[in-house]
Amino acid sequence: MTNMSGTTTPSTGLMTAAKTNATADEQKKPTVDYESFLKLLTAQLRNQDPLAPMDATQFMTQLAQLSTVEQSMRSNDTLGKVLDTLKSSGMRMDMALLGRKVEVASDQLSLADGKAQAAYTVEGTPASVKLEVLNGAGSVVYSSPGSLKTGRQVFDWTGRTASGGTAPDGVYTLRVTAKDKDGKALNTATVVTDTVAEVRSVDGVSKFVLKNGATVDSGAVLSAS
């Protein structure tokens, strides 16, 4: 509230002025930072009514608010630095896997020199398991029944196609479909083993480019040797 002399009375409060300023400038700055807070406090002291100066208790409260804003900003800066350090540390740890053989949760099957291998598991007791190899266009080039045993199973592919031909070397997709005795679909998981050829940072997240050309998240790595 403003009196007849045009000065700001203590009843307006610093936070009211701060909110007004933030509303007018919301397109530029979503919140009032430490510097703006300090400027508002200084302006309020300069323009207060000499006949009704700010109450000492109110002034101390606003100083406490100023201190809180400063501490919050410092905390945010510190947290930002900690996160940057963690990201940098994580990247260095991921770089240690460069050139190493890793086992990753992936359905990307690599065929090289007529050899391709992957492992798969089925959750529950399957009554039927179907293994399909798909090319880059999503077409099935090879299929065979899978093992009905529980636990980890290994799939070996020589590149032989359903038509009797030989598929070219490259990256294929292994699709595992399993059903129980009632025809209900069961969850499956596939695992491949390959060598890490490259480590990339994409939007702050490490990505592993495998020798077979597939790209997987660092979280997909199950083991390394």
Side-chain angles (χ1 to χ4, degrees), residues 149-219:
K149 297 180 180 179
T150 58
R152 181 184 176 117
Q153 307 298 321
V154 176
F155 169 66
D156 287 299
W157 184 44
T158 61
R160 182 168 58 90
T161 64
S163 61
T166 301
D169 288 353
V171 179
Y172 296 81
T173 299
L174 174 62
R175 183 168 64 192
V176 181
T177 305
K179 296 181 180 180
D180 63 12
K181 59 183 180 61
D182 298 321
K184 181 181 179 181
L186 299 174
N187 293 328
T188 64
T190 54
V191 176
V192 298
T193 301
D194 207 332
T195 302
V196 178
E198 185 181 351
V199 180
R200 297 176 181 173
S201 179
V202 180
D203 295 330
V205 178
S206 294
K207 301 281 187 178
F208 292 141
V209 180
L210 305 180
K211 188 177 180 180
N212 67 7
T215 300
V216 298
D217 293 335
S218 59

Side-chain angles (χ1 to χ4, degrees), residues 120-124 126 147-154:
Y120 65 92
T121 58
V122 177
E123 184 180 301
S147 174
L148 299 182
K149 297 180 180 179
T150 58
R152 181 184 176 117
Q153 307 298 321
V154 176

Side-chain angles (χ1 to χ4, degrees), residues 7-87:
T7 59
T8 302
T9 64
S11 60
T12 58
L14 180 60
M15 296 310 297
T16 301
K19 291 179 181 179
T20 303
N21 183 72
T23 301
D25 199 33
E26 60 183 0
Q27 298 299 323
K28 298 181 180 179
K29 187 180 302 182
T31 59
V32 178
D33 58 20
Y34 174 73
E35 183 177 353
S36 297
F37 198 106
L38 185 59
K39 288 180 179 179
L40 286 171
L41 178 59
T42 303
Q44 182 176 357
L45 292 174
R46 183 185 303 117
N47 296 312
Q48 66 179 331
D49 185 355
L51 301 179
M54 182 187 300
D55 181 79
T57 302
Q58 182 183 8
F59 182 65
M60 292 302 297
T61 299
Q62 294 184 0
L63 285 180
Q65 293 173 344
L66 177 62
S67 177
T68 301
V69 171
E70 181 183 17
Q71 291 176 9
S72 298
M73 293 187 62
R74 290 181 178 178
S75 296
N76 290 338
D77 290 342
T78 301
L79 288 175
K81 292 177 181 178
V82 170
L83 288 175
D84 290 341
T85 300
L86 290 176
K87 289 179 181 179

Side-chain angles (χ1 to χ4, degrees), residues 135-153:
N135 59 19
S139 300
V140 177
V141 298
Y142 175 79
S143 65
S144 71
S147 174
L148 299 182
K149 297 180 180 179
T150 58
R152 181 184 176 117
Q153 307 298 321

